[in-house]
């Protein structure tokens, strides 16, 4: 009898996790303040607990190291280059979901359904209100290489994923040789060595160190709502390049299902929830990003920036040029 009880206890110890398996594990590059409200809402609606590990880098490598023993179900990332890295390292799996496919336009998801965009952000050019003014609809990224901007441009590292994606899109549209020439021109026009983040470039415009800079759209929203940085935001206009040609470059934040997801059904439920109206609205309000799902209202501040024509090239195609973009950045010694 004692032996039977012991066996029963052992069986119960193995059964306990299965009974408590209404959970999903997320590896995230996205900051806690942004995603936790959505996860709380998801748990409220489904009863599924969301466990999150936050990181600034190295998630793809972590998934590789953990292999089939990884607890990860869903991976949240901040850029197309990081989404592409997940597929390149074979640490994610294809997801077949009519819900996600209906919510996420084809150009913003992987052709093999291994990653999906969740939010959109544009790669803008910020211009000094005092010294430059608003740039017209005819302004293009290519113009940054023009002589009139000599000593007037600030940017973060050319090898930051946001800039690598922009260079990749230039290669997709104009070819390798023309893009290299453009990079040489932009480098020649820099007011200082590439450094800092996107907000630091706007600060530099405010301080008169440069007149224009590259920056993601949502940073303007963050600066406007930061009392210490609002003066930086007030010193610039946000401009959407290539409005009369290919459209403004659009990057994304996104998600993928981990290759060895132990809670695959719950992972799918979370991924579908994140592309739905409620989560998309929360993304829009909290981080000043553009919802990937059509018809979801932008935040009032983002709406005030006006409509724009977005580049329609597939992000999957852009990702294919990332290694070439890095090669060109090295060849022109952009960051040196």
């Amino acid at each position: 009898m004692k032996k039977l009880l012991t066996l029963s206890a052992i069986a119960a110890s193995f059964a306990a996790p299965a009974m408590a398996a209404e959970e999903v594990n997320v590896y995230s590059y996205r900051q806690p303040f942004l995603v936790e409200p959505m996860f709380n809402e998801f748990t409220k609606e489904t009863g599924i607990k969301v466990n999150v590990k936050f990181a600034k880098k190295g998630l793809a490598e972590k998934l590789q190291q953990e292999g089939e023993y990884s607890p990860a179900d869903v991976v949240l990332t901040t850029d197309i280059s990081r989404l592409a890295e997940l597929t390149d390292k074979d640490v994610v799996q294809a997801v077949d979901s009519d819900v996600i496919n209906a919510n996420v336009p084809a150009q913003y998801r992987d052709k093999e359904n291994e990653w999906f965009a969740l939010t959109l952000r544009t790669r803008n050019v910020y211009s000094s209100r005092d010294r430059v003014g608003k740039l017209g609809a005819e302004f293009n990224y290519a113009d940054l290489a023009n002589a009139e901007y000599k000593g007037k441009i600030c940017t973060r590292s050319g090898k930051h994923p946001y800039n690598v994606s922009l260079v990749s899109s230039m290669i997709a549209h104009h070819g390798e040789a023309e893009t290299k020439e453009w990079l040489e021109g932009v480098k020649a026009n820099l007011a200082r060595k590439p450094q800092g983040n996107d907000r630091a470039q706007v600060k530099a415009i405010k301080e008169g160190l440069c007149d224009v800079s590259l920056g993601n759209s949502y940073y303007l929203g963050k600066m406007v709502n930061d009392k210490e940085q609002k003066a930086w935001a007030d010193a610039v206009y946000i401009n959407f390049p290539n409005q009369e040609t290919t459209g403004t470059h659009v990057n994304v934040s996104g998600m993928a299902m981990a290759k060895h997801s132990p809670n695959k059904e719950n992972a799918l439920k979370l991924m579908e929830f994140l592309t739905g109206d409620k989560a998309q609205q929360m993304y829009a309000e909290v981080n000043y990003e553009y919802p990937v799902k059509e018809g979801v209202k932008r935040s009032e501040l983002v709406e005030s920036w006006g409509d724009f024509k977005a580049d329609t090239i597939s992000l999957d195609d852009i990702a294919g040029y990332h290694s070439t973009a890095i090669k060109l950045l090295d060849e022109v010694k952009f960051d040196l």
Side-chain angles (χ1 to χ4, degrees):
M1 183 68 174
K2 185 175 181 181
K3 186 175 181 180
L4 287 173
L5 287 172
T6 302
L7 289 173
S8 297
I10 293 173
S13 71
F14 281 101
M19 294 293 289
E22 287 305 305
E23 61 182 13
V24 60
N25 302 314
V26 176
Y27 283 5
S28 176
Y29 281 130
R30 306 241 60 183
Q31 296 172 291
F33 83 91
L34 175 61
V35 296
E36 285 179 342
M38 285 177 282
F39 292 159
N40 291 338
E41 186 63 30
F42 173 74
T43 299
K44 180 181 176 182
E45 290 189 11
T46 65
I48 299 171
K49 180 184 178 184
V50 183
N51 307 309
V52 194
K53 287 186 178 181
F54 295 101
K56 291 186 177 180
K57 60 182 180 180
L59 287 183
E61 290 79 7
K62 182 176 178 62
L63 288 165
Q64 274 188 319
Q65 292 168 359
E66 292 174 341
E68 63 182 298
Y69 302 106
S70 176
D73 295 303
V74 176
V75 185
L76 299 182
T77 74
T78 53
D79 181 81
I80 178 57
S81 65
R82 290 187 172 122
L83 288 166
E85 181 185 29
L86 295 174
T87 60
D88 291 344
K89 292 186 181 297
D90 192 28
V91 293
V92 294
Q93 61 178 292
V95 173
D96 183 15
S97 168
D98 291 339
V99 173
I100 296 176
N101 289 343
N103 290 341
V104 181
Q107 77 181 92
Y108 300 129
R109 60 177 190 261
D110 177 54
K111 292 175 182 176
E112 304 299 326
N113 286 330
E114 289 191 337
W115 57 256
F116 306 86
L118 286 173
T119 63
L120 311 177
R121 64 277 291 270
T122 51
R123 195 70 180 149
N124 298 90
V125 171
Y126 292 102
S127 59
S128 168
R129 285 178 178 264
D130 295 336
R131 298 183 299 279
V132 178
K134 185 79 172 172
L135 299 175
E138 72 281 359
F139 179 83
N140 296 321
Y141 294 111
D143 296 334
L144 293 174
N146 293 348
E148 66 184 289
Y149 292 106
K150 182 75 172 179
K152 296 182 179 181
I153 300 173
C154 285
T155 183
R156 71 195 309 164
S157 168
K159 287 189 176 180
H160 188 278
Y162 300 157
N163 281 338
V164 172
S165 293
L166 174 60
V167 175
S168 299
S169 73
M170 295 291 286
I171 297 170
H173 285 300
H174 306 291
E176 188 173 336
E178 189 173 331
T179 300
K180 182 176 180 179
E181 184 179 353
W182 173 72
L183 282 172
E184 290 172 336
V186 176
K187 177 179 170 60
N189 286 344
L190 293 179
R192 62 181 184 179
K193 179 180 176 180
Q195 59 190 266
N197 56 26
D198 281 357
R199 280 187 264 194
Q201 315 314 316
V202 176
K203 179 175 183 283
I205 292 177
K206 165 66 176 173
E207 294 172 346
L209 297 176
C210 49
D211 288 348
V212 296
S213 72
L214 287 165
N216 278 2
S217 54
Y218 63 92
Y219 285 114
L220 184 61
K222 289 176 175 290
M223 289 185 288
V224 166
N225 286 281
D226 184 323
K227 63 181 181 181
E228 295 182 359
Q229 298 178 5
K230 188 176 185 301
W232 308 351
D234 291 343
V236 300
Y237 284 113
I238 185 172
N239 302 281
F240 296 88
N242 293 55
Q243 290 304 284
E244 295 182 350
T245 56
T246 57
T248 298
H249 172 60
V250 174
N251 209 320
V252 299
S253 71
M255 64 179 178
M257 185 182 292
K259 185 174 183 178
H260 301 288
S261 169
N263 302 292
K264 190 172 180 178
E265 184 176 335
N266 291 344
L268 180 59
K269 289 179 181 178
L270 176 60
M271 292 174 74
E272 291 179 341
F273 173 83
L274 291 175
T275 68
D277 289 356
K278 185 171 291 186
Q280 287 286 297
Q281 191 66 59
M282 294 174 80
Y283 268 125
E285 292 294 338
V286 175
N287 210 44
Y288 314 108
E289 294 177 273
Y290 294 93
V292 72
K293 184 181 180 185
E294 295 178 0
V296 176
K297 188 178 179 181
R298 305 169 182 175
S299 74
E300 186 175 339
L301 177 59
V302 172
E303 191 68 32
S304 73
W305 300 339
D307 291 326
F308 66 95
K309 174 184 174 182
D311 192 347
T312 58
I313 191 170
S314 167
L315 290 181
D316 212 22
D317 292 337
I318 291 176
Y321 289 105
H322 275 201
S323 60
T324 305
I326 291 172
K327 183 193 75 169
L328 294 184
L329 288 159
D330 282 337
E331 287 179 355
V332 304
K333 297 181 173 58
F334 192 84
D335 285 349
L336 299 180

